């Protein structure tokens, strides 16, 4: 769906300065998430901490030319851009979405309640997506900003909408209702969360239920809907109630539940139909959410056998709780999303499930979404912690700290150690990693406390020894290869595997400064780190995983698509997120037999790409298997021919041309005809000529250094290291070096196979390589002292030689250097 800027100005009733009427397809609120600047309309929203107007200059430079503003002065600064003027940019956004919603007549399910909205929405999608083409709220987009972003994604191809609505104060649901305008209402439950903005429970119910004034039916718990029947009847007698509960007056009666293993069997009666559904969950919240979903399916006249089959296969919704490995053998549960009693109970249940340690620590912020008095609230918190056998509570915030001061004695009786801090910053200043060991830590706080900073503390890594990286050499090597390319040929610099061990963000920064066109990483987390470090270049992710899709979209990374399974799963994710024309890269299998679509699959692939508007194909590429080997040149050119055939077919199907690339570092030198539109420069950038052509003057980029910890004088017959594999046959001087296989030094180099540089001499490794140490024989070298620097590789001892001794390739040596080895960057 698209609108012109002049049409948008007209339907929202605003004045405008239209210099070049544009077609708008995308609503843009975040300057970091631009997909297509030409068809984006930026709304300069004003928040409590940031004003969207301050990003207009940045967005204009990135190609955005359409803006909705409340400050008209910007229109004079950018004479070729379109501006719509209004008093309230959020209100204008919502007006536009109301107009958009009015164009569609298919059923829309509106979901509200105190808890469970997102889970019910996602489970309904899982249960109904085979029967309907569904548009639904991305993630938990249920706010005054999230709802318009969700509803904007509606189009003629959809046959069902599912949107959730969340409110925290009076008057908010009135605006959400006009945008969602549901025909089927779902009330998950009425609980304590988000109560502080309302006078009482009845007031909150009236506000929430107002979402359903355009509905033909409302589905929910009998205990909630019967209590509010009078309010519902005032909305109109045309509304039908479908209730579930444990009494005979419910439309769907719960006859009982049985929990067996990790499953719950729920026995139901609907009309004269008795049936049972099985769900793979045992907690009460999941049972209630599943029953609510079942009632929706019954209303949609789905057969009970189909309902039972679908319910058995619903899977968890990964919304808020993240499980991570942390420092000192700790396990971290990240729930830095919300803080209320209901979600605390869910998180503590998860803590019980995941905790393999007796020690449990909970880090909590102030509870900002509660109508209870603080004293009563935090007494309930302590009771919950005791029930789940938490051993330590760390409270962060003024309110929780005040209450914990009064509850310290009670906590001691419950065997809960208590600490409290006034703010997140205060806690970080006092943080000591040594205070945590072999325990499970739940980090749970309201978003405003920025607990993600605390989670990062638990993920920190230690470093030792030094890998020196010469940034000048990186630039020099880049220019050596660019001399071989046509001016029009783009360069994708590969910074995967921590930039071949050299440090991704730092290397990417220097490459960005020197205007490479693309970056390539192996996994999404590498790309995320680059974005966090300020890298704005396009980044291709070569091994995207389904659990990283959210990070890929959030940080505007471009995944490689290599299989139909990946194509379909990423397509579903993009539809869930409401993202269109997302940039992706297609890999063709031409002979590596690792990843990619075969030529036999190309026709089907083209058909699949035609069916969806989720993707914008940025490039089609393949990997060469042996471009460095002259004996394999015939095979190399056969790979090129296969790629060319696939490209012709796919470009015909999708209707536009894309970038093509197949050449790696060796092919840039040996096969100029294969440079196509772009080349991928990898190991050569780091000073290794993998084709051994001697046509390039490459410089050493990395030097691995360590120091001598101790020097020992051995007698003939003494042994060195584990297993006594090395016995010295004469009096010898042995130096112990602070590096081992845990740092990436190969164990294969022990017992005289490997050498290191000491005082410009190559000396052999003596004995077996240890985890953190190696020993070398420095007999006969003068003036060697404890603490002296030694060179593991670099300079006159190239990494290629280390790889040769170890029986491997330079890639493995370079990428194997542990993250605990400190990286030092320098420019000469």
């Amino acid at each position: 769906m698209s609108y012109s800027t002049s049409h948008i100005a007209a339907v929202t009733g605003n004045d405008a300065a239209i210099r070049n009427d544009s077609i708008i397809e995308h609503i843009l609120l975040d300057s970091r998430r631009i997909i297509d600047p030409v068809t984006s309309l930026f709304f300069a929203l004003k928040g409590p901490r940031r004003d969207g107007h301050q990003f207009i200059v940045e967005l204009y430079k990135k190609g955005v030319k359409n803006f909705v503003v409340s400050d008209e002065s910007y229109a004079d600064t950018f004479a070729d851009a379109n501006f719509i003027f209004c008093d309230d940019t959020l209100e204008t956004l919502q007006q536009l979405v109301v107009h958009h919603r009015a164009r569609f007549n298919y059923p829309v399910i509106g979901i509200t309640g105190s808890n469970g909205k997102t889970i019910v929405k996602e489970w309904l999608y899982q249960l109904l997506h085979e029967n309907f083409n569904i548009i639904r709220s991305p993630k938990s987009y249920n706010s005054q900003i999230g709802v318009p972003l969700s509803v904007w994604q509606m189009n003629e191809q959809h046959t069902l909408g599912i949107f959730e609505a969340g409110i925290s104060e009076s008057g908010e649901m009135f605006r959400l209702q006009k945008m969602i305008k549901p025909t089927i209402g779902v009330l998950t439950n009425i609980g304590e969360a988000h109560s502080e903005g309302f006078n009482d429970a009845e007031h909150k119910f009236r506000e929430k239920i107002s979402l359903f004034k355009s509905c033909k039916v409302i589905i929910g718990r009998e205990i909630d809907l019967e209590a509010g029947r009078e309010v519902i009847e005032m909305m109109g007698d045309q509304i039908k109630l479908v209730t579930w509960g444990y009494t005979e007056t419910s439309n769907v009666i719960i006859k009982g539940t049985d929990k067996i293993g990790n499953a719950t069997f729920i026995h139901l009666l609907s009309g004269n139909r008795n049936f049972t559904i099985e769900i793979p969950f045992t907690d009460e919240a999941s049972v209630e959410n599943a029953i609510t979903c079942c009632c929706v399916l019954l209303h949609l006249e789905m057969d009970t056998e189909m309902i039972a089959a679908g319910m058995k296969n619903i899977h968890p919704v990964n919304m808020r709780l993240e499980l991570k490995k942390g420092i000192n053998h700790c396990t971290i549960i990240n729930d830095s999303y919300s803080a209320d009693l209901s979600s605390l109970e869910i998180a503590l249940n998860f803590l019980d499930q995941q905790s393999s340690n007796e020690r449990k620590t909970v880090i909590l912020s102030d509870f900002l979404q509660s109508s209870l008095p603080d004293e009563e609230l935090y007494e309930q918190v302590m009771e919950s912690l005791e029930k789940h056998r938490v051993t330590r509570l760390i409270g962060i915030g003024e309110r929780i700290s005040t209450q914990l001061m009064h509850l310290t004695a009670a906590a001691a009786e419950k065997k809960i150690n208590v600490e409290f801090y006034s703010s997140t910053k205060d806690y970080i200043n006092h943080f000591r990693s040594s205070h945590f060991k072999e325990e499970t830590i739940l980090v749970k706080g309201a978003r405003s406390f920025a607990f993600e900073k605390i989670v990062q503390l638990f993920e920190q890594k230690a470093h030792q020894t030094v890998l020196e990286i010469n940034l000048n050499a990186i630039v020099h090597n880049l220019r050596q290869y660019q001399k071989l390319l046509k001016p029009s040929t783009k360069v994708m610099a590969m910074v995967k595997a921590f930039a071949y061990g050299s440090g991704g963000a730092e290397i990417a920064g220097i490459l960005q400064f020197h205007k490479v066109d693309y970056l390539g990483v192996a996994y999404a987390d590498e790309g995320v780190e680059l974005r966090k470090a300020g890298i704005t270049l396009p980044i291709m992710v070569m091994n995207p995983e389904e659990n990283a899709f959210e990070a890929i979209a959030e940080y505007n990374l471009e995944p490689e698509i290599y299989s139909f399974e990946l194509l379909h799963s990423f397509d579903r994710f993009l539809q869930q997120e409401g993202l269109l024309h997302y940039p992706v890269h297609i890999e063709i299998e031409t002979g590596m037999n690792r990843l990619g679509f075969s030529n036999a699959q190309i026709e089907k692939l083209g058909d699949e790409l035609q069916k969806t508007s989720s993707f914008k194909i940025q490039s089609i590429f393949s990997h060469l298997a042996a471009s460095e080997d002259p004996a394999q040149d015939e095979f190399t050119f056969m790979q090129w021919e296969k790629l060319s055939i696939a490209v012709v077919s796919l470009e015909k199907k999708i209707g536009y041309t894309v970038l093509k690339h197949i050449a790696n570092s060796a092919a840039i030198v040996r096969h100029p005809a294969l440079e196509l539109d772009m080349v991928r420069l990898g190991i050569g950038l780091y000073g290794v000529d993998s084709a051994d052509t001697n046509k390039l003057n490459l410089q050493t980029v990395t030097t691995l250094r360590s120091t001598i910890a101790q020097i020992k004088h051995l007698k003939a017959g003494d042994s060195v290291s584990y297993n006594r594999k090395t016995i010295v046959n004469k009096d010898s001087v042995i130096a112990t070096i602070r590096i081992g296989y845990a740092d990436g030094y190969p164990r294969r180099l022990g017992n005289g196979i490997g050498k290191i540089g000491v005082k410009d001499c190559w000396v052999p490794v003596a004995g077996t390589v240890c985890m953190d140490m190696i020993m070398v024989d420095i007999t006969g070298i003068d003036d060697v002292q404890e603490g002296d620097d030694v060179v593991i590789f670099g300079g006159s001892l190239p990494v290629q030689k280390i790889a040769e001794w170890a029986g491997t390739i330079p890639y493995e040596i370079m990428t194997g250097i542990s993250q605990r080895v400190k990286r030092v960057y320098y420019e000469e």
Side-chain angles (χ1 to χ4, degrees):
M1 299 296 294
S2 60
Y3 302 90
S4 68
T5 45
S6 58
H7 179 76
I8 292 172
V11 299
T12 57
N14 291 302
D15 294 330
I18 308 297
R19 282 68 177 257
N20 182 17
D21 208 4
S22 302
I23 298 299
I24 300 302
E25 296 178 356
H26 302 283
I27 287 175
L28 182 61
L29 307 181
D30 188 336
S31 62
R32 298 165 297 182
R33 301 197 66 175
I34 302 173
I35 294 177
D36 184 356
V38 176
T39 61
S40 294
L41 177 63
F42 178 69
F43 286 79
L45 302 182
K46 290 185 176 181
R49 298 180 60 185
R50 286 192 172 90
D51 182 349
H53 293 81
Q54 71 189 72
F55 300 103
I56 289 176
V57 174
E58 173 190 341
L59 286 164
Y60 180 84
K61 291 179 179 178
K62 292 179 178 179
V64 178
K65 296 294 178 67
N66 300 283
F67 302 91
V68 178
V69 298
S70 56
D71 183 348
E72 297 185 14
S73 64
Y74 286 91
D76 298 328
T77 305
F78 306 103
D80 62 337
N82 298 319
F83 287 86
I84 297 173
F85 308 120
C86 63
D87 295 327
D88 187 327
T89 51
L90 177 58
E91 182 179 336
T92 298
L93 168 64
Q94 295 177 347
Q95 288 173 339
L96 171 60
V97 172
V98 169
H99 170 76
H100 180 69
R101 168 67 180 90
R103 299 181 62 176
F104 308 103
N105 295 316
Y106 47 78
V108 171
I109 300 173
I111 305 172
T112 193
S114 297
N115 299 101
K117 296 183 290 295
T118 300
I119 292 176
V120 167
K121 178 202 68 186
E122 292 302 314
W123 283 359
L124 284 175
Y125 175 80
Q126 293 175 29
L127 294 161
L128 293 170
H129 74 277
E130 293 184 358
N131 304 89
F132 297 89
N133 186 355
I134 300 173
I135 177 66
R136 71 193 193 280
S137 307
K139 296 182 288 190
S140 298
Y141 278 29
N142 58 33
S143 67
Q144 299 295 310
I145 293 174
V147 166
L149 289 175
S150 304
V151 176
W152 177 256
Q153 303 302 323
M154 294 178 74
N155 62 43
E156 297 97 332
Q157 282 72 50
H158 298 124
T159 57
L160 177 67
I162 308 177
F163 301 110
E164 57 178 290
I167 58 174
S168 57
E169 61 183 47
S170 179
E172 289 184 332
M173 192 64 85
F174 172 75
R175 297 189 289 274
L176 299 185
Q177 191 278 333
K178 290 199 297 181
M179 290 182 283
I180 298 174
K181 203 172 183 181
T183 58
I184 300 170
V186 174
L187 182 67
T188 57
N189 57 64
I190 295 294
E192 188 242 336
H194 308 285
S195 296
E196 68 279 4
F198 306 97
N199 298 333
D200 50 36
E202 182 182 350
H203 181 208
K204 183 167 72 169
F205 179 84
R206 286 178 179 272
E207 289 288 331
K208 286 186 177 292
I209 210 73
S210 66
L211 173 65
F212 305 138
K213 70 177 185 179
S214 61
C215 291
K216 298 176 182 178
V217 62
I218 303 175
I219 298 166
R221 301 190 307 180
E222 182 181 40
I223 191 174
D224 294 323
L225 294 181
E226 284 301 323
R229 180 176 287 275
E230 183 178 338
V231 175
I232 296 170
E233 289 176 348
M234 292 173 60
M235 294 164 55
D237 56 10
Q238 80 285 358
I239 299 177
K240 174 187 175 183
L241 297 186
V242 174
T243 64
W244 67 264
Y246 295 87
T247 70
E248 296 298 321
T249 56
S250 298
N251 299 101
V252 178
I253 302 170
I254 315 306
K255 305 298 288 185
T257 60
D258 296 312
K259 296 182 179 181
I260 303 174
N262 293 321
T264 301
F265 294 82
I266 307 169
H267 309 292
L268 304 168
L269 172 63
S270 175
N272 60 359
R273 294 174 294 177
N274 281 290
F275 64 102
T276 297
I277 60 174
E278 175 190 348
I279 63 171
F281 304 93
T282 57
D283 61 285
E284 288 304 317
S286 293
V287 171
E288 290 199 359
N289 291 332
I291 295 170
T292 299
C293 291
C294 182
C295 291
V296 175
L297 302 185
L298 289 169
H299 172 72
L300 294 173
E301 300 182 345
M302 184 177 287
D303 182 81
T304 54
E305 291 185 4
M306 291 182 62
I307 293 173
M311 284 291 181
K312 191 173 182 178
N313 294 310
I314 57 177
H315 52 77
V317 179
N318 184 14
M319 290 191 312
R320 305 174 181 178
L321 296 173
E322 297 177 303
L323 191 67
K324 303 183 177 185
K325 293 187 182 297
I327 57 174
N328 302 333
H329 305 289
C330 293
T331 299
I332 312 303
I333 298 173
N334 178 14
D335 190 17
S336 52
Y337 180 93
S338 64
D340 60 78
L341 288 173
S342 299
S343 64
L344 175 63
E345 187 64 22
I346 294 170
L348 290 172
N349 284 330
F350 189 75
L351 175 66
D352 290 340
Q353 294 173 27
Q354 301 299 330
S355 178
S356 59
N357 306 303
E358 291 186 1
R359 300 175 63 182
K360 300 177 185 176
T361 293
V362 174
I363 302 177
L364 288 179
S365 75
D366 286 346
F367 280 38
L368 303 178
Q369 298 178 340
S370 176
S371 58
L372 294 175
D374 278 0
E375 183 177 353
E376 181 180 350
L377 170 66
Y378 292 108
E379 284 179 354
Q380 290 191 29
V381 169
M382 292 300 296
E383 288 174 3
S384 293
L385 298 180
E386 181 186 28
K387 182 175 70 174
H388 291 274
R389 293 192 286 274
V390 171
T391 53
R392 173 166 49 175
L393 169 63
I394 299 173
I396 299 176
E398 297 290 348
R399 290 167 60 181
I400 192 171
S401 296
T402 299
Q403 292 303 316
L404 290 181
M405 290 180 188
H406 303 307
L407 293 171
T408 301
E413 291 180 2
K414 302 176 190 297
K415 298 182 180 179
I416 301 175
N417 294 320
V418 174
E419 303 170 26
F420 41 86
Y421 302 86
S422 61
S423 65
T424 302
K425 182 179 180 181
D426 183 27
Y427 175 72
I428 291 173
N429 288 340
H430 289 86
F431 177 80
R432 297 292 182 271
S433 61
S434 58
H435 293 179
F436 302 89
K437 184 178 181 180
E438 297 178 350
E439 57 192 286
T440 305
I441 304 165
L442 169 63
V443 182
K444 180 169 183 57
R447 281 178 172 174
S448 58
F449 281 81
F451 271 13
E452 63 270 14
K453 297 177 182 177
I454 293 176
V455 174
Q456 290 171 5
L457 294 176
F458 290 107
E459 297 176 327
Q460 284 182 341
K461 303 177 181 67
H463 301 279
Q464 60 186 41
T465 309
V466 174
L467 183 68
E468 296 178 345
I469 296 99
N470 183 343
L471 297 178
N472 296 91
I474 288 280
V475 176
H476 169 85
N477 296 340
L478 171 64
R479 289 173 176 164
Q480 286 288 300
Y481 281 95
Q482 286 176 325
K483 289 178 182 178
L484 303 178
L485 302 173
K486 297 190 295 284
S488 60
T489 302
K490 298 180 182 296
V491 174
M492 176 185 289
M494 306 308 297
V495 292
K496 61 181 179 176
F498 203 52
Y500 292 74
S502 300
E506 292 78 8
I507 300 300
I510 199 73
L511 293 170
Q512 178 170 269
F513 182 80
H514 288 278
K515 306 297 183 185
V516 301
D517 302 283
Y518 251 96
L519 297 176
V521 298
Y523 295 100
D525 54 358
E526 296 174 321
V528 169
E529 290 304 312
L530 298 184
R531 289 285 185 249
K532 289 180 177 179
I535 302 302
T536 59
L537 286 172
I539 299 174
M540 181 173 79
V541 180
M542 306 192 77
N543 294 292
E545 298 171 302
E546 189 166 350
N547 61 10
F549 286 171
E550 185 171 354
I552 285 172
E554 180 179 356
Y555 290 93
N556 197 26
L557 308 176
E558 302 179 8
E560 164 191 333
I561 304 296
Y562 55 79
S563 69
F564 287 112
E565 180 181 1
L566 181 59
L567 179 83
H568 295 150
S569 61
F570 194 52
D571 189 15
R572 288 193 298 268
F573 170 79
L574 293 175
Q575 291 182 39
Q576 173 186 335
E577 295 290 306
L579 295 174
L580 301 174
H581 310 303
Y582 195 89
V584 298
H585 303 257
I586 303 295
E587 180 175 358
I588 307 301
E589 172 55 70
T590 61
M592 176 76 84
N593 288 315
R594 185 175 61 181
L595 296 175
F597 295 94
S598 69
N599 279 60
Q601 296 174 311
I602 295 305
E603 183 174 353
K604 179 183 176 182
L605 174 59
D607 292 338
E608 294 285 340
L609 293 174
Q610 281 185 322
K611 292 178 184 178
T612 179
S613 56
S614 296
F615 305 125
K616 171 70 182 297
I617 310 304
Q618 297 295 96
S619 80
I620 302 173
F621 73 100
S622 189
H623 284 280
L624 295 174
S627 60
E628 72 283 354
D629 188 355
Q632 298 294 335
D633 284 352
E634 182 178 350
F635 186 87
T636 296
F637 280 92
M638 180 272 291
Q639 287 191 268
W640 176 31
E641 290 172 5
K642 285 187 175 182
L643 175 64
S644 300
I645 292 169
V647 166
V648 170
S649 177
L650 287 176
E651 286 188 335
K652 184 177 180 180
K653 287 278 190 179
I654 63 179
Y656 54 88
T657 59
V658 302
L659 294 172
K660 280 77 72 176
H661 50 107
I662 194 171
N664 54 13
S665 297
I668 294 171
V669 182
R670 297 196 63 250
H671 302 297
L674 303 190
E675 66 180 72
L676 308 181
D677 300 315
M678 183 161 66
V679 297
R680 300 191 304 274
L681 180 55
I683 194 72
L685 191 63
Y686 305 93
V688 177
D689 182 0
S690 56
D692 200 22
T693 62
N694 297 314
K695 293 181 180 180
L696 298 167
N697 178 26
L698 299 180
Q699 294 181 358
T700 299
V701 171
T702 56
T703 300
L704 181 60
R705 297 182 184 274
S706 191
T707 58
I708 297 174
Q710 190 175 26
I711 296 174
K712 290 184 177 291
H713 296 267
L714 275 59
K715 298 293 184 180
D718 286 344
S719 61
V720 181
S721 193
Y722 294 113
N723 308 123
R724 305 190 70 229
K725 291 291 183 66
T726 293
I727 308 292
V728 297
N729 56 16
K730 62 179 180 180
D731 292 353
S732 303
V733 183
I734 302 297
T736 301
I737 312 299
R738 294 182 172 97
I739 191 170
Y741 60 78
D743 302 293
Y745 194 79
R747 293 189 79 245
R748 289 164 289 182
L749 296 181
N751 301 302
I753 296 174
K755 297 177 176 62
I756 71 167
V758 177
K759 297 291 184 179
D760 296 322
C761 298
W762 293 7
V763 299
V765 176
T768 302
V769 174
C770 306
M771 178 181 287
D772 307 300
M773 301 282 178
I774 61 173
M775 282 66 77
V776 295
D777 189 340
I778 59 171
T779 305
I781 302 177
D782 296 331
D783 197 28
V784 180
Q785 305 291 328
E786 293 179 356
D788 282 356
D789 282 347
V790 299
V791 175
I792 310 302
F793 64 71
S796 62
L797 185 56
V799 68
Q800 293 95 315
K801 182 59 69 174
I802 303 294
E804 179 186 327
W805 290 333
T808 184
I809 57 176
Y811 296 79
E812 182 178 341
I813 301 298
M814 294 173 66
T815 59
I817 303 303
S818 168
Q819 295 292 303
R820 78 179 189 175
V821 174
K822 183 178 180 180
R823 271 68 175 173
V824 177
Y825 303 88
Y826 68 96
E827 293 183 81
E828 296 174 342

